[in-house]
Amino acid sequence: MATSTDPSSDLETSLGAQNADTAGAPSEPDDTVDDGRAEHPDERPGPLPVRTIALGTAGSLMILLSAFGAAGVLVNDPVLGHGPLSWLRYGHGQMLATATIYLGFGLVVWAWVRLGRHVLAGRVSSRPVLIAAAAWMAPLVISPPVFTRDVFSYIAQGMLPLYGQDPYVVGPIVLSMQDVVQNVHPFWQTTPAPYGPLFILLAKGVAWVSGSNMILGVVLMRIVLMVGLVPLLWALPGLVRHLGGHLPTTLWLAVAGPMTVVHLVGGPHNDLIMVGLLAAGTLCVLERRHVTGIVLVTLAAAIKATAMMALPFLVWVWAAHLGATFWRNAFRAVAAALATFLVTFGGVTLLAGVDLGWFKALQAPTMIVNWLSIPTAVGEFAHTVADLFFDANKAWFVNTARVIGGLAFFVIAARQWWLSRHGGSDAVRRMAFILFALAVLSPATLPWYVTWGFVIGAALPWQRRQLAILVSAGVFLVLTYSPAGEDLLYNWPFIACAIAGSVLAGISLLRVDPLGLFGPRRELVTVDVPTPAAKV
């Protein structure tokens, strides 16, 4: 993960370049409304980019309305049903709804990039970014799931223990409730839950309240998962302080970005509550509240096992805070962290009324084959080349590449862990890198997996061009699945268009109106460059 060593100087240079680059270029008008307060640019409420927020909100509303026709709709839909608007679910009506979803998503991305330019130009601070994120998320709270159908699996997995079934042994197919089972993607109907005991407990509570009412279940599940935003928002300012980033930029990336708004909230995905607990636990350990931090990270691991990867790095942070010799500090930190983990995890497992069968179920995602996983992509490419010369077995190539990828990850993780032995923010930075590496080097990679390390990494200092790459990647990762939750990674014409749109979004962060679609109006640039001593 490449980051700048001097974010403030880079920001000043890039903003100066922006002023020069846009001096004679067509642009959009400034839409900020100053509230009249004059505090530090990172702390004051700052002007509110009203039109930018409205643009993204309009896009989010378009996603909401068209989702009833083209997103993760119920098989027996009580909203449109067989009424006068049921045509939106079929044929040309569904095509129209799909196009509208993509148009709405385009407006959300457009607004997000505009907001990013406001942030980097120093025109808005943290508060407007959070207001924008809230406005863009609000319509999606009551939306059908978009770009995924995973939430139906969550509800069904919570329903299993209510009916005496072990979610780590059987899949939703054993349920007699067809209203629940038929909405789970066929790929997952026979698959046991690969999630931890805390998530099963939460899903069980949602299923108990909603019963077979899947609309209520989706909304309740989304609200429960959005609780993860609370520890995330609490932790990000402190992480920025320790890691050297710029808070408005961090919030723009980690909270207002399409990966969070559309994938984690609009989806929804349980990664949201996992990364919230992980971020809060990481901050607590950095600030010497070690036991609390390990408890929070353990709770994150009780949602998804991925969070366990953070614990060895945080142990080094804990050890560095102790006052004895290196190895004595390490022993004490390991012993205390392990005891805290065992007590916390054991308590959650007993409370959820399940066993450790979910560790075996963790292999379920390996059934997914897509080229977002680097080892899988290498295996598929090698098979394609070999198949030109002889009848090659694709599974052999993919599985071999995955084994090599697993070994490579082990070597990288071990080396980064050892280099983190002096603790501090360096250990957390390396932890974020390893969480990202885990996402892309694992046998299967789904777009929202990238948020595991990205949420922590967003608190690092980033150069403007690096941010443009992140914008392109974030937009592309949403587009890799259809609004109804089907894999589009092998639809090459669509992927070519998705790449083009994603690159355009990244360029737009660097250059206003790169296609020259708007008039000669100029975007007013008022620069308040944050100083290194006041990044948060």
Side-chain angles (χ1 to χ4, degrees):
M1 182 182 295
T3 59
S4 67
T5 56
D6 188 357
S8 59
S9 63
D10 178 78
L11 183 60
E12 184 173 8
T13 301
S14 63
L15 293 177
Q18 181 195 35
N19 285 327
D21 291 343
T22 61
S27 176
E28 59 210 13
D30 190 352
D31 63 348
T32 56
V33 177
D34 200 333
D35 64 1
R37 303 188 187 189
E39 300 172 26
H40 190 276
D42 277 354
E43 298 293 341
R44 66 182 183 184
L48 195 64
V50 176
R51 280 179 288 185
T52 294
I53 295 174
L55 179 68
T57 304
S60 189
L61 286 169
M62 291 175 67
I63 294 175
L64 164 65
L65 296 176
S66 53
F68 289 99
V73 295
L74 300 176
V75 174
N76 295 315
D77 180 18
V79 178
L80 300 184
H82 299 286
L85 294 178
S86 60
W87 60 274
L88 286 171
R89 297 186 56 196
Y90 309 100
H92 291 90
Q94 189 178 58
M95 292 173 63
L96 176 62
T98 301
T100 305
I101 281 186
Y102 282 121
L103 179 58
F105 176 69
L107 294 182
V108 171
V109 171
W110 186 3
W112 181 53
V113 172
R114 280 176 58 110
L115 182 64
R117 289 201 299 267
H118 286 315
V119 167
L120 295 181
R123 288 193 294 272
V124 299
S125 58
S126 302
R127 177 175 168 270
V129 173
L130 294 177
I131 291 173
W136 301 343
M137 291 177 186
L140 300 181
V141 173
I142 58 173
S143 169
V146 291
F147 296 95
T148 181
R149 297 184 66 89
D150 281 6
V151 66
F152 297 131
S153 297
Y154 298 165
I155 296 170
Q157 290 158 358
M159 195 71 71
L160 286 169
L162 288 178
Y163 285 83
Q165 301 289 342
D166 188 342
Y168 298 148
V169 175
V170 298
I173 194 67
V174 303
L175 292 170
S176 59
M177 306 172 68
Q178 283 304 305
D179 288 342
V180 175
V181 176
Q182 65 185 349
N183 291 295
V184 178
H185 194 287
F187 193 86
W188 301 113
Q189 287 184 2
T190 59
T191 305
Y195 308 119
L198 179 56
F199 181 71
I200 295 299
L201 184 62
L202 295 175
K204 183 178 178 181
V206 169
W208 179 77
V209 173
S210 62
S212 61
N213 187 331
M214 294 299 284
I215 293 178
L216 177 61
V218 169
V219 174
L220 285 179
M221 181 63 74
R222 185 177 279 123
I223 292 172
V224 167
L225 297 181
M226 287 179 70
V227 171
L229 289 170
V230 176
L232 179 62
L233 291 173
W234 174 81
L236 285 177
L239 289 175
V240 166
R241 184 172 62 253
H242 284 279
L243 299 181
H246 176 236
L247 183 56
T249 302
T250 297
L251 294 173
W252 172 70
L253 283 173
V255 181
M259 284 295 288
T260 301
V261 173
V262 178
H263 255 329
L264 296 188
V265 173
H269 288 287
N270 56 11
D271 304 75
L272 179 56
I273 196 166
M274 186 205 81
V275 297
L277 291 169
L278 175 62
T282 299
L283 177 63
C284 285
V285 174
L286 281 169
E287 299 197 337
R288 298 176 180 267
R289 288 175 283 178
H290 307 114
V291 173
T292 301
I294 298 300
V295 167
L296 289 172
V297 176
T298 302
L299 293 178
I303 297 289
K304 296 190 79 168
T306 308
M308 289 185 186
M309 188 58 61
L311 290 171
F313 292 87
L314 296 179
V315 165
W316 283 134
V317 178
W318 189 342
H321 292 159
L322 302 178
T325 62
F326 174 82
W327 289 112
R328 180 172 295 182
N329 290 341
F331 177 80
R332 289 169 59 191
V334 168
L338 182 61
T340 303
F341 172 83
L342 292 175
V343 170
T344 304
F345 196 87
V348 172
T349 301
L350 290 174
L351 185 62
V354 295
D355 55 26
L356 299 180
W358 68 297
F359 288 107
K360 182 180 179 181
L362 288 175
Q363 64 183 342
T366 62
M367 296 187 297
I368 300 170
V369 178
N370 69 48
W371 54 263
L372 287 180
S373 161
I374 292 177
T376 300
V378 170
E380 290 192 313
F381 179 77
H383 167 260
T384 300
V385 173
D387 208 36
L388 296 174
F389 303 99
F390 60 91
D391 186 15
N393 185 327
K394 180 178 178 178
W396 185 90
F397 282 91
V398 170
N399 290 335
T400 300
R402 285 177 166 184
V403 170
I404 295 172
L407 293 174
F409 172 75
F410 176 80
V411 172
I412 293 170
R415 181 174 185 273
Q416 292 299 316
W417 176 74
W418 181 245
L419 292 175
S420 302
R421 63 189 180 276
H422 299 298
S425 60
D426 180 63
V428 174
R429 180 177 63 84
R430 295 180 188 278
M431 179 190 81
F433 170 75
I434 288 302
L435 288 170
F436 173 78
L438 177 62
V440 298
L441 291 176
S442 63
T445 301
L446 293 172
W448 43 94
Y449 288 4
V450 180
T451 61
W452 300 341
F454 173 71
V455 167
I456 304 295
L460 291 164
W462 293 92
Q463 297 178 1
R464 192 183 184 95
R465 293 189 181 276
Q466 293 171 332
L467 290 174
I469 295 173
L470 293 179
V471 166
S472 295
V475 173
F476 176 75
L477 287 171
V478 175
L479 294 175
T480 54
Y481 275 70
S482 74
E486 298 296 337
D487 185 350
L488 294 175
L489 284 163
Y490 297 92
N491 184 337
W492 298 113
F494 177 87
I495 288 299
C497 294
I499 291 174
S502 302
V503 170
L504 176 61
I507 294 174
S508 296
L509 185 71
L510 303 176
R511 178 183 173 189
V512 178
D513 189 20
L515 298 182
L517 299 177
F518 299 93
R521 298 173 299 178
R522 292 196 47 214
E523 184 172 12
L524 303 179
V525 178
T526 303
V527 180
D528 287 326
V529 179
T531 63
K535 293 172 185 168
V536 299

